[in-house]
Amino acid sequence: MNEIEKYIKRITEFGLSDKVQSDNKELEIQKLLVGLYYEYLNLEAEFDDGDFEEEPTFDYDAIKKNVEANFPDFGWYHSILESHLIIPDAYLVTGDAIDDLTDIIKDMLEIKWQFENTSEKNAKWCFKDLVQTHSEQHIVNFLKYMKDKNG
């Protein structure tokens, strides 16, 4: 099992069970997401043109319920869109740490399925693509939320 799979296996547990055991769930999820993000940033992935079946749909609401049980203190936060632009009337948006984790876990369940049911090459390409197009923003937002929450 490669490092990506190890991170994914543990991260997804927080969405599959409402009673994950951990000495410090908040610190652990931060470390896991930083590790996962590191793997993403350093991954060279190639497309696999094999013929694979489509992954199943994972139940967002069931995952969210477990995330809420594991992280009852997580909640809403503010963020600024296009923070790289210095403009007088910045556009403030509201985010949700529970939704961020739920979306990340749902995406990683898809990748876990890819590793278990397709080729490693395909799974890594799907991981790179899904993080780039969806999960990355959730990871960055969530880590910023945790930094602000914990000071």
Side-chain angles (χ1 to χ4, degrees):
M1 181 182 296
N2 64 49
E3 289 301 307
I4 295 169
E5 289 178 277
K6 288 178 187 175
Y7 287 119
I8 289 173
K9 182 179 185 303
R10 182 60 176 164
I11 289 167
T12 57
E13 288 176 20
F14 290 96
L16 295 174
S17 170
D18 62 352
K19 294 179 179 79
V20 173
Q21 297 299 312
S22 175
D23 291 336
N24 184 336
K25 290 180 189 179
E26 290 189 16
L27 181 59
E28 182 180 2
I29 199 69
Q30 279 182 278
K31 288 179 178 180
L32 289 166
L33 291 175
V34 168
L36 188 74
Y37 195 44
Y38 174 85
E39 293 297 325
Y40 159 74
L41 292 173
N42 289 289
L43 180 64
E44 297 290 330
E46 294 179 38
F47 182 74
D48 185 339
D49 61 358
D51 189 21
F52 305 109
E53 70 179 273
E54 192 172 326
E55 72 274 350
T57 301
F58 295 94
D59 186 348
Y60 176 92
D61 292 331
I63 296 166
K64 182 178 180 186
K65 182 178 176 184
N66 289 327
V67 170
E68 289 172 330
N70 284 305
F71 301 101
D73 295 333
F74 287 178
W76 299 93
Y77 60 87
H78 291 292
S79 183
I80 298 173
L81 287 184
E82 298 182 331
S83 64
H84 65 290
L85 301 176
I86 304 300
I87 53 176
D89 297 319
Y91 186 63
L92 186 66
V93 296
T94 302
D96 178 5
I98 295 292
D99 176 71
D100 288 333
L101 270 183
T102 301
D103 277 350
I104 293 164
I105 291 168
K106 186 174 181 294
D107 287 352
M108 293 308 107
L109 284 168
E110 291 179 22
I111 301 306
K112 185 175 185 253
W113 186 92
Q114 295 290 341
F115 273 109
E116 294 168 352
N117 295 282
T118 72
S119 70
E120 182 173 334
K121 183 178 177 181
N122 181 66
K124 286 181 176 180
W125 184 87
C126 289
F127 170 74
K128 186 80 170 183
D129 182 63
L130 192 53
V131 172
Q132 182 177 18
T133 60
H134 186 246
S135 298
E136 183 176 25
Q137 191 63 59
H138 286 292
I139 292 169
V140 170
N141 289 349
F142 179 80
L143 292 172
K144 171 72 166 94
Y145 165 79
M146 291 301 295
K147 167 62 178 130
D148 291 345
K149 180 179 177 293
N150 296 326

